[in-house]
mmCIF file of all heavy atoms in Angstrom:
data_model
loop_
_atom_site.group_PDB
_atom_site.id
_atom_site.type_symbol
_atom_site.label_atom_id
_atom_site.label_comp_id
_atom_site.label_asym_id
_atom_site.label_seq_id
_atom_site.Cartn_x
_atom_site.Cartn_y
_atom_site.Cartn_z
ATOM 1 N N GLY A 363 98.603 121.442 101.146
ATOM 2 C CA GLY A 363 99.916 120.987 100.678
ATOM 3 C C GLY A 363 100.030 119.521 100.738
ATOM 4 O O GLY A 363 100.522 118.900 99.742
ATOM 5 N N LEU A 364 99.513 118.878 101.751
ATOM 6 C CA LEU A 364 99.610 117.397 101.865
ATOM 7 C C LEU A 364 98.686 116.759 100.872
ATOM 8 O O LEU A 364 99.020 115.736 100.239
ATOM 9 C CB LEU A 364 99.234 116.968 103.248
ATOM 10 C CG LEU A 364 100.235 117.405 104.310
ATOM 11 C CD1 LEU A 364 99.642 117.071 105.725
ATOM 12 C CD2 LEU A 364 101.576 116.671 104.141
ATOM 13 N N THR A 365 97.567 117.380 100.499
ATOM 14 C CA THR A 365 96.645 116.802 99.534
ATOM 15 C C THR A 365 97.264 116.857 98.100
ATOM 16 O O THR A 365 97.224 115.852 97.388
ATOM 17 C CB THR A 365 95.302 117.555 99.578
ATOM 18 O OG1 THR A 365 94.646 117.431 100.828
ATOM 19 C CG2 THR A 365 94.377 116.973 98.471
ATOM 20 N N VAL A 366 97.824 118.034 97.773
ATOM 21 C CA VAL A 366 98.377 118.129 96.411
ATOM 22 C C VAL A 366 99.561 117.281 96.284
ATOM 23 O O VAL A 366 99.848 116.630 95.181
ATOM 24 C CB VAL A 366 98.657 119.538 96.077
ATOM 25 C CG1 VAL A 366 99.863 120.144 96.767
ATOM 26 C CG2 VAL A 366 98.764 119.768 94.539
ATOM 27 N N ALA A 367 100.366 117.113 97.373
ATOM 28 C CA ALA A 367 101.527 116.205 97.316
ATOM 29 C C ALA A 367 101.055 114.760 97.065
ATOM 30 O O ALA A 367 101.691 114.052 96.299
ATOM 31 C CB ALA A 367 102.275 116.275 98.675
ATOM 32 N N SER A 368 99.978 114.347 97.759
ATOM 33 C CA SER A 368 99.502 112.983 97.554
ATOM 34 C C SER A 368 98.923 112.753 96.206
ATOM 35 O O SER A 368 99.165 111.722 95.566
ATOM 36 C CB SER A 368 98.373 112.714 98.633
ATOM 37 O OG SER A 368 97.958 111.399 98.551
ATOM 38 N N LEU A 369 98.223 113.749 95.651
ATOM 39 C CA LEU A 369 97.686 113.644 94.339
ATOM 40 C C LEU A 369 98.804 113.547 93.300
ATOM 41 O O LEU A 369 98.653 112.771 92.338
ATOM 42 C CB LEU A 369 96.801 114.831 93.993
ATOM 43 C CG LEU A 369 95.423 114.884 94.731
ATOM 44 C CD1 LEU A 369 94.813 116.280 94.537
ATOM 45 C CD2 LEU A 369 94.510 113.760 94.260
ATOM 46 N N LEU A 370 99.817 114.304 93.451
ATOM 47 C CA LEU A 370 100.969 114.240 92.492
ATOM 48 C C LEU A 370 101.666 112.869 92.582
ATOM 49 O O LEU A 370 102.057 112.293 91.597
ATOM 50 C CB LEU A 370 101.996 115.351 92.789
ATOM 51 C CG LEU A 370 101.487 116.727 92.351
ATOM 52 C CD1 LEU A 370 102.441 117.844 92.966
ATOM 53 C CD2 LEU A 370 101.358 116.895 90.880
ATOM 54 N N ALA A 371 101.907 112.426 93.903
ATOM 55 C CA ALA A 371 102.530 111.111 94.051
ATOM 56 C C ALA A 371 101.738 110.032 93.431
ATOM 57 O O ALA A 371 102.362 108.998 92.865
ATOM 58 C CB ALA A 371 102.773 110.920 95.591
ATOM 59 N N ALA A 372 100.409 110.109 93.492
ATOM 60 C CA ALA A 372 99.545 109.085 92.933
ATOM 61 C C ALA A 372 99.771 109.029 91.386
ATOM 62 O O ALA A 372 99.445 108.040 90.705
ATOM 63 C CB ALA A 372 98.097 109.320 93.239
ATOM 64 N N ARG A 373 100.225 110.146 90.816
ATOM 65 C CA ARG A 373 100.549 110.246 89.362
ATOM 66 C C ARG A 373 102.011 110.113 89.093
ATOM 67 O O ARG A 373 102.508 110.598 88.056
ATOM 68 C CB ARG A 373 99.982 111.509 88.785
ATOM 69 C CG ARG A 373 98.450 111.584 88.914
ATOM 70 C CD ARG A 373 97.827 112.885 88.450
ATOM 71 N NE ARG A 373 96.416 112.810 88.594
ATOM 72 C CZ ARG A 373 95.516 112.275 87.738
ATOM 73 N NH1 ARG A 373 96.023 111.750 86.663
ATOM 74 N NH2 ARG A 373 94.243 112.318 87.921
ATOM 75 N N ASP A 374 102.755 109.548 90.019
ATOM 76 C CA ASP A 374 104.199 109.208 89.843
ATOM 77 C C ASP A 374 105.037 110.484 89.659
ATOM 78 O O ASP A 374 106.025 110.500 88.901
ATOM 79 C CB ASP A 374 104.431 108.275 88.657
ATOM 80 C CG ASP A 374 103.761 106.946 88.876
ATOM 81 O OD1 ASP A 374 103.767 106.449 90.043
ATOM 82 O OD2 ASP A 374 103.238 106.327 87.945
ATOM 83 N N VAL A 375 104.690 111.572 90.303
ATOM 84 C CA VAL A 375 105.473 112.802 90.334
ATOM 85 C C VAL A 375 106.215 112.918 91.672
ATOM 86 O O VAL A 375 105.499 112.943 92.741
ATOM 87 C CB VAL A 375 104.621 114.017 90.060
ATOM 88 C CG1 VAL A 375 105.458 115.324 90.233
ATOM 89 C CG2 VAL A 375 103.939 113.967 88.736
ATOM 90 N N PRO A 376 107.540 112.917 91.736
ATOM 91 C CA PRO A 376 108.212 113.012 93.038
ATOM 92 C C PRO A 376 108.033 114.442 93.623
ATOM 93 O O PRO A 376 108.035 115.382 92.954
ATOM 94 C CB PRO A 376 109.639 112.771 92.708
ATOM 95 C CG PRO A 376 109.781 113.145 91.206
ATOM 96 C CD PRO A 376 108.429 112.870 90.597
ATOM 97 N N VAL A 377 107.871 114.440 94.978
ATOM 98 C CA VAL A 377 107.485 115.659 95.679
ATOM 99 C C VAL A 377 108.392 115.876 96.918
ATOM 100 O O VAL A 377 108.586 114.900 97.635
ATOM 101 C CB VAL A 377 105.990 115.677 96.030
ATOM 102 C CG1 VAL A 377 105.635 116.990 96.739
ATOM 103 C CG2 VAL A 377 105.139 115.482 94.808
ATOM 104 N N LEU A 378 108.793 117.111 97.099
ATOM 105 C CA LEU A 378 109.442 117.502 98.441
ATOM 106 C C LEU A 378 108.473 118.503 99.107
ATOM 107 O O LEU A 378 108.123 119.483 98.505
ATOM 108 C CB LEU A 378 110.793 118.118 98.220
ATOM 109 C CG LEU A 378 111.430 118.845 99.397
ATOM 110 C CD1 LEU A 378 111.715 117.850 100.516
ATOM 111 C CD2 LEU A 378 112.652 119.574 99.052
ATOM 112 N N VAL A 379 108.049 118.161 100.349
ATOM 113 C CA VAL A 379 107.175 119.056 101.100
ATOM 114 C C VAL A 379 108.023 119.627 102.210
ATOM 115 O O VAL A 379 108.697 118.896 102.988
ATOM 116 C CB VAL A 379 105.997 118.305 101.685
ATOM 117 C CG1 VAL A 379 105.071 119.261 102.449
ATOM 118 C CG2 VAL A 379 105.207 117.580 100.598
ATOM 119 N N VAL A 380 108.016 120.966 102.333
ATOM 120 C CA VAL A 380 108.727 121.614 103.409
ATOM 121 C C VAL A 380 107.727 122.428 104.272
ATOM 122 O O VAL A 380 106.785 122.998 103.760
ATOM 123 C CB VAL A 380 109.870 122.557 102.895
ATOM 124 C CG1 VAL A 380 110.921 121.740 102.222
ATOM 125 C CG2 VAL A 380 109.356 123.697 102.071
ATOM 126 N N GLU A 381 108.034 122.399 105.545
ATOM 127 C CA GLU A 381 107.111 123.097 106.495
ATOM 128 C C GLU A 381 107.989 123.695 107.613
ATOM 129 O O GLU A 381 108.866 123.048 108.200
ATOM 130 C CB GLU A 381 106.128 122.094 107.131
ATOM 131 C CG GLU A 381 105.348 122.564 108.368
ATOM 132 C CD GLU A 381 104.551 123.831 108.079
ATOM 133 O OE1 GLU A 381 103.821 123.791 107.150
ATOM 134 O OE2 GLU A 381 104.757 124.846 108.812
ATOM 135 N N ARG A 382 107.820 125.051 107.819
ATOM 136 C CA ARG A 382 108.707 125.742 108.728
ATOM 137 C C ARG A 382 108.435 125.314 110.220
ATOM 138 O O ARG A 382 109.326 125.344 111.026
ATOM 139 C CB ARG A 382 108.501 127.225 108.603
ATOM 140 C CG ARG A 382 107.207 127.815 109.019
ATOM 141 C CD ARG A 382 107.208 129.295 108.865
ATOM 142 N NE ARG A 382 108.411 129.966 109.300
ATOM 143 C CZ ARG A 382 108.643 130.264 110.569
ATOM 144 N NH1 ARG A 382 107.768 129.971 111.490
ATOM 145 N NH2 ARG A 382 109.771 130.876 110.907
ATOM 146 N N LYS A 383 107.260 124.852 110.546
ATOM 147 C CA LYS A 383 107.013 124.370 111.905
ATOM 148 C C LYS A 383 107.691 123.056 112.118
ATOM 149 O O LYS A 383 108.006 122.305 111.153
ATOM 150 C CB LYS A 383 105.472 124.205 112.103
ATOM 151 C CG LYS A 383 104.731 125.562 112.086
ATOM 152 C CD LYS A 383 103.307 125.359 112.314
ATOM 153 C CE LYS A 383 102.498 126.648 112.210
ATOM 154 N NZ LYS A 383 101.012 126.463 112.404
ATOM 155 N N SER A 384 107.871 122.674 113.311
ATOM 156 C CA SER A 384 108.628 121.500 113.690
ATOM 157 C C SER A 384 107.769 120.247 113.569
ATOM 158 O O SER A 384 108.273 119.108 113.551
ATOM 159 C CB SER A 384 109.241 121.567 115.057
ATOM 160 O OG SER A 384 108.150 121.737 116.046
ATOM 161 N N THR A 385 106.463 120.428 113.526
ATOM 162 C CA THR A 385 105.537 119.282 113.441
ATOM 163 C C THR A 385 104.224 119.758 112.859
ATOM 164 O O THR A 385 104.090 120.962 112.525
ATOM 165 C CB THR A 385 105.315 118.581 114.819
ATOM 166 O OG1 THR A 385 104.529 117.434 114.621
ATOM 167 C CG2 THR A 385 104.662 119.555 115.759
ATOM 168 N N THR A 386 103.227 118.898 112.779
ATOM 169 C CA THR A 386 101.912 119.362 112.264
ATOM 170 C C THR A 386 101.337 120.317 113.247
ATOM 171 O O THR A 386 101.653 120.316 114.412
ATOM 172 C CB THR A 386 101.015 118.091 112.130
ATOM 173 O OG1 THR A 386 100.936 117.366 113.292
ATOM 174 C CG2 THR A 386 101.507 117.222 110.951
ATOM 175 N N SER A 387 100.360 121.101 112.751
ATOM 176 C CA SER A 387 99.768 122.101 113.585
ATOM 177 C C SER A 387 98.934 121.519 114.702
ATOM 178 O O SER A 387 98.249 120.477 114.557
ATOM 179 C CB SER A 387 98.813 122.938 112.648
ATOM 180 O OG SER A 387 98.141 123.964 113.457
ATOM 181 N N ASP A 388 98.945 122.182 115.916
ATOM 182 C CA ASP A 388 98.099 121.781 116.984
ATOM 183 C C ASP A 388 96.831 122.749 117.100
ATOM 184 O O ASP A 388 96.156 122.696 118.071
ATOM 185 C CB ASP A 388 98.802 121.714 118.317
ATOM 186 C CG ASP A 388 99.417 123.106 118.687
ATOM 187 O OD1 ASP A 388 99.315 124.071 117.857
ATOM 188 O OD2 ASP A 388 99.969 123.273 119.795
ATOM 189 N N GLU A 389 96.681 123.588 116.083
ATOM 190 C CA GLU A 389 95.591 124.544 116.075
ATOM 191 C C GLU A 389 94.430 123.973 115.214
ATOM 192 O O GLU A 389 94.550 123.598 114.108
ATOM 193 C CB GLU A 389 96.004 125.862 115.486
ATOM 194 C CG GLU A 389 97.096 126.584 116.320
ATOM 195 C CD GLU A 389 97.477 127.965 115.811
ATOM 196 O OE1 GLU A 389 96.915 128.313 114.764
ATOM 197 O OE2 GLU A 389 98.248 128.636 116.459
ATOM 198 N N ALA A 390 93.246 124.004 115.928
ATOM 199 C CA ALA A 390 92.034 123.474 115.190
ATOM 200 C C ALA A 390 91.449 124.636 114.397
ATOM 201 O O ALA A 390 90.604 125.366 114.839
ATOM 202 C CB ALA A 390 91.057 122.936 116.193
ATOM 203 N N LYS A 391 91.892 124.773 113.164
ATOM 204 C CA LYS A 391 91.428 125.911 112.360
ATOM 205 C C LYS A 391 90.144 125.510 111.613
ATOM 206 O O LYS A 391 89.053 125.807 112.031
ATOM 207 C CB LYS A 391 92.507 126.355 111.363
ATOM 208 C CG LYS A 391 93.822 126.722 112.047
ATOM 209 C CD LYS A 391 94.938 126.871 111.101
ATOM 210 C CE LYS A 391 96.292 127.101 111.802
ATOM 211 N NZ LYS A 391 97.442 127.154 110.826
ATOM 212 N N ALA A 392 90.332 124.880 110.407
ATOM 213 C CA ALA A 392 89.154 124.375 109.767
ATOM 214 C C ALA A 392 88.458 123.224 110.462
ATOM 215 O O ALA A 392 89.150 122.472 111.211
ATOM 216 C CB ALA A 392 89.563 123.924 108.332
ATOM 217 N N ILE A 393 87.182 123.118 110.302
ATOM 218 C CA ILE A 393 86.469 122.024 111.050
ATOM 219 C C ILE A 393 85.441 121.296 110.134
ATOM 220 O O ILE A 393 84.722 120.479 110.581
ATOM 221 C CB ILE A 393 85.687 122.598 112.234
ATOM 222 C CG1 ILE A 393 84.725 123.724 111.850
ATOM 223 C CG2 ILE A 393 86.689 123.054 113.327
ATOM 224 C CD1 ILE A 393 83.861 124.195 112.995
ATOM 225 N N SER A 394 85.465 121.582 108.812
ATOM 226 C CA SER A 394 84.406 121.001 107.943
ATOM 227 C C SER A 394 84.978 120.578 106.634
ATOM 228 O O SER A 394 85.684 121.372 105.950
ATOM 229 C CB SER A 394 83.239 121.975 107.679
ATOM 230 O OG SER A 394 82.259 121.385 106.877
ATOM 231 N N ILE A 395 84.788 119.301 106.219
ATOM 232 C CA ILE A 395 85.102 118.826 104.896
ATOM 233 C C ILE A 395 83.902 118.411 104.205
ATOM 234 O O ILE A 395 83.054 117.739 104.766
ATOM 235 C CB ILE A 395 86.068 117.606 105.055
ATOM 236 C CG1 ILE A 395 87.396 117.975 105.785
ATOM 237 C CG2 ILE A 395 86.395 116.981 103.710
ATOM 238 C CD1 ILE A 395 88.264 116.766 106.011
ATOM 239 N N ASP A 396 83.839 118.850 102.875
ATOM 240 C CA ASP A 396 82.586 118.396 102.161
ATOM 241 C C ASP A 396 82.807 117.178 101.277
ATOM 242 O O ASP A 396 83.980 116.627 101.255
ATOM 243 C CB ASP A 396 82.104 119.627 101.371
ATOM 244 C CG ASP A 396 82.985 120.109 100.288
ATOM 245 O OD1 ASP A 396 83.974 119.376 99.850
ATOM 246 O OD2 ASP A 396 82.878 121.225 99.825
ATOM 247 N N ASP A 397 81.843 116.760 100.587
ATOM 248 C CA ASP A 397 81.827 115.631 99.749
ATOM 249 C C ASP A 397 82.835 115.747 98.584
ATOM 250 O O ASP A 397 83.434 114.758 98.196
ATOM 251 C CB ASP A 397 80.489 115.168 99.347
ATOM 252 C CG ASP A 397 79.680 116.323 98.671
ATOM 253 O OD1 ASP A 397 80.190 117.456 98.683
ATOM 254 O OD2 ASP A 397 78.621 116.018 98.080
ATOM 255 N N GLU A 398 82.949 116.942 97.993
ATOM 256 C CA GLU A 398 83.852 117.097 96.908
ATOM 257 C C GLU A 398 85.292 116.903 97.360
ATOM 258 O O GLU A 398 86.146 116.348 96.626
ATOM 259 C CB GLU A 398 83.700 118.508 96.347
ATOM 260 C CG GLU A 398 84.495 118.705 95.036
ATOM 261 C CD GLU A 398 84.197 120.023 94.366
ATOM 262 O OE1 GLU A 398 83.339 120.798 94.847
ATOM 263 O OE2 GLU A 398 84.805 120.314 93.313
ATOM 264 N N SER A 399 85.609 117.342 98.544
ATOM 265 C CA SER A 399 86.995 117.124 99.134
ATOM 266 C C SER A 399 87.274 115.706 99.351
ATOM 267 O O SER A 399 88.315 115.133 99.131
ATOM 268 C CB SER A 399 87.107 117.955 100.403
ATOM 269 O OG SER A 399 87.146 119.358 100.201
ATOM 270 N N LEU A 400 86.275 114.997 99.919
ATOM 271 C CA LEU A 400 86.412 113.577 100.208
ATOM 272 C C LEU A 400 86.625 112.776 98.894
ATOM 273 O O LEU A 400 87.375 111.827 98.816
ATOM 274 C CB LEU A 400 85.223 112.986 100.941
ATOM 275 C CG LEU A 400 85.114 113.349 102.398
ATOM 276 C CD1 LEU A 400 83.802 112.832 103.026
ATOM 277 C CD2 LEU A 400 86.305 112.768 103.162
ATOM 278 N N ARG A 401 85.914 113.160 97.835
ATOM 279 C CA ARG A 401 86.097 112.590 96.515
ATOM 280 C C ARG A 401 87.559 112.825 96.060
ATOM 281 O O ARG A 401 88.144 111.903 95.456
ATOM 282 C CB ARG A 401 85.130 113.249 95.506
ATOM 283 C CG ARG A 401 85.054 112.511 94.175
ATOM 284 C CD ARG A 401 84.025 113.127 93.269
ATOM 285 N NE ARG A 401 83.725 112.307 92.124
ATOM 286 C CZ ARG A 401 82.938 112.697 91.131
ATOM 287 N NH1 ARG A 401 82.277 113.886 91.193
ATOM 288 N NH2 ARG A 401 82.739 111.912 90.077
ATOM 289 N N THR A 402 88.096 114.070 96.274
ATOM 290 C CA THR A 402 89.491 114.307 95.911
ATOM 291 C C THR A 402 90.407 113.421 96.733
ATOM 292 O O THR A 402 91.415 112.913 96.200
ATOM 293 C CB THR A 402 89.784 115.758 96.140
ATOM 294 O OG1 THR A 402 88.990 116.552 95.314
ATOM 295 C CG2 THR A 402 91.220 116.080 95.882
ATOM 296 N N PHE A 403 90.203 113.286 98.056
ATOM 297 C CA PHE A 403 91.017 112.402 98.872
ATOM 298 C C PHE A 403 91.023 110.942 98.272
ATOM 299 O O PHE A 403 91.951 110.251 98.299
ATOM 300 C CB PHE A 403 90.575 112.470 100.316
ATOM 301 C CG PHE A 403 90.919 113.619 101.078
ATOM 302 C CD1 PHE A 403 89.954 114.353 101.777
ATOM 303 C CD2 PHE A 403 92.253 114.093 101.082
ATOM 304 C CE1 PHE A 403 90.308 115.501 102.466
ATOM 305 C CE2 PHE A 403 92.577 115.302 101.781
ATOM 306 C CZ PHE A 403 91.574 115.986 102.465
ATOM 307 N N ALA A 404 89.815 110.528 97.853
ATOM 308 C CA ALA A 404 89.685 109.192 97.299
ATOM 309 C C ALA A 404 90.543 109.020 96.063
ATOM 310 O O ALA A 404 91.081 107.937 95.808
ATOM 311 C CB ALA A 404 88.235 108.908 97.056
ATOM 312 N N ALA A 405 90.727 110.069 95.340
ATOM 313 C CA ALA A 405 91.511 110.005 94.015
ATOM 314 C C ALA A 405 92.954 109.661 94.356
ATOM 315 O O ALA A 405 93.622 109.166 93.503
ATOM 316 C CB ALA A 405 91.422 111.312 93.279
ATOM 317 N N SER A 406 93.452 109.979 95.619
ATOM 318 C CA SER A 406 94.823 109.633 95.932
ATOM 319 C C SER A 406 94.903 108.571 97.015
ATOM 320 O O SER A 406 95.911 108.403 97.633
ATOM 321 C CB SER A 406 95.535 110.876 96.432
ATOM 322 O OG SER A 406 94.932 111.391 97.590
ATOM 323 N N GLY A 407 93.760 107.895 97.191
ATOM 324 C CA GLY A 407 93.719 106.806 98.147
ATOM 325 C C GLY A 407 93.640 107.155 99.635
ATOM 326 O O GLY A 407 94.027 106.383 100.505
#
């Protein structure tokens, strides 16, 4: 959700993100990011 929000914002699209939890997760779920994901992160700075 945060990635797509950032990508949209980089293209001048206003975004509202809602999350039912009170803060970011404290659970270590995923543990691996690949190079394609990093390339996507780079697209939104």
Side-chain angles (χ1 to χ4, degrees):
L364 295 170
T365 299
V366 74
S368 183
L369 289 168
L370 288 170
R373 296 176 180 277
D374 297 324
V375 176
V377 181
L378 168 62
V379 182
V380 297
E381 168 58 54
R382 70 179 315 278
K383 295 179 181 178
S384 60
T385 184
T386 55
S387 175
D388 61 354
E389 296 183 356
K391 302 170 186 174
I393 57 173
S394 179
I395 296 176
D396 65 19
D397 51 350
E398 189 174 359
S399 293
L400 286 175
R401 189 179 191 181
T402 298
F403 285 130
S406 61

